[in-house]
Amino acid sequence: ERTVQKNHKLVINNRKTSLVTGVVDVLSFDLNEILLETEQGMMMVKGTDLHVNRLSVEKGEVDLSGNIDSVATESSRIICSPSCSGDTMPGIHEEMMVFLIAVVSGAIVRLVYQCIRCFRRIVVHDLAAVSVEDMIFWLGSAVYMFVQIYHTSDGSIRWYFILGVALGVILMTAFFSASEKLYKKIYGRKKKDLCQGLDKKEEKS
């Protein structure tokens, strides 16, 4: 049996919709990436809010919609990218913004937990109250992170988002540690000067 090779064609309309012919299969897809197997090799479509509207295996056609940023073939040659219209490397810029948002999110979570710790030092808590506070904190943090991931990555968990959150927590922890050491140093120096002043007054009297 002879296999008839279908014509492979790519049509993009205003970077919002696309028609791809000569498609063998849709290997994977999410809101940011669609991987197609075509008669001439693999094709990767990247963007935001991407959807596969129609797939006809018999005709070898796929209709795509969403904000299409780039289309690359198996040879890694960029067929279409927003840099053609003056936007330089938008994918990297977007990933950097997501990373920075993740860093700030991690720092905010660490700051909130530090406030809870300070509150516990002021008001004495029993074990049950500490457990309830921790549960509320972790549930709130989970919801907050989910909202951040949903708004920045359309619900897809990216490795650089996790890295950013961890970096934010580490940086905020280091800030608190340095602040505490500086406070102890200044407080210790003032306390020492005060004690020396009192000793001198006692000697004079």
Side-chain angles (χ1 to χ4, degrees):
E1 184 179 353
R2 185 178 177 182
T3 303
V4 179
Q5 187 174 8
K6 302 179 180 65
N7 292 327
H8 178 49
K9 182 173 65 174
L10 170 65
V11 179
I12 300 177
N13 299 316
N14 298 323
R15 302 188 186 276
K16 296 295 183 182
T17 60
S18 175
L19 169 64
V20 187
T21 63
V23 176
V24 178
D25 193 12
V26 178
L27 300 180
S28 65
F29 66 91
D30 57 31
L31 294 175
N32 300 298
E33 294 180 354
I34 298 176
L35 179 61
L36 305 175
E37 181 183 358
T38 71
E39 294 286 353
Q40 297 183 15
M42 299 298 176
M43 174 180 288
M44 174 67 75
V45 181
K46 293 186 177 182
T48 57
D49 197 26
L50 298 176
H51 298 280
V52 177
N53 294 332
R54 181 180 67 90
L55 169 62
S56 175
V57 179
E58 294 78 11
K59 296 181 179 180
E61 295 180 352
V62 172
D63 286 338
L64 308 177
S65 65
N67 300 313
I68 300 173
D69 291 338
S70 65
V71 180
T73 62
E74 201 170 32
S75 60
S76 297
R77 180 172 63 89
I78 301 298
I79 297 176
C80 170
S81 74
S83 59
C84 302
S85 60
D87 189 5
T88 305
M89 301 180 69
I92 295 179
H93 289 170
E94 182 180 353
E95 290 176 359
M96 284 299 298
M97 287 301 300
V98 173
F99 178 76
L100 291 176
I101 292 173
V103 172
V104 174
S105 299
I108 289 175
V109 170
R110 181 64 180 87
L111 176 62
V112 171
Y113 189 72
Q114 184 67 22
C115 291
I116 294 175
R117 290 182 61 188
C118 293
F119 178 68
R120 288 173 181 172
R121 292 177 182 176
I122 298 173
V123 180
V124 179
H125 287 56
D126 56 15
L127 185 59
V130 171
S131 300
V132 171
E133 285 180 353
D134 284 341
M135 183 179 66
I136 294 174
F137 168 77
W138 289 114
L139 286 175
S141 298
V143 172
Y144 174 70
M145 286 300 172
F146 174 79
V147 171
Q148 292 298 94
I149 291 173
Y150 180 79
H151 285 294
T152 57
S153 305
D154 294 322
S156 300
I157 301 177
R158 304 293 181 179
W159 65 268
Y160 48 84
F161 187 90
I162 298 175
L163 179 63
V165 171
L167 181 60
V169 172
I170 292 172
L171 290 177
M172 187 59 71
T173 302
F175 172 76
F176 286 137
S177 179
S179 300
E180 186 175 358
K181 289 180 180 179
L182 181 61
Y183 170 76
K184 288 181 179 179
K185 185 177 181 180
I186 295 174
Y187 176 75
R189 185 179 300 173
K190 288 186 176 181
K191 185 177 180 180
K192 183 178 179 181
D193 293 341
L194 180 61
C195 291
Q196 289 178 352
L198 292 175
D199 291 339
K200 289 180 180 180
K201 286 183 178 181
E202 289 179 356
E203 289 176 359
K204 291 179 179 180
S205 61

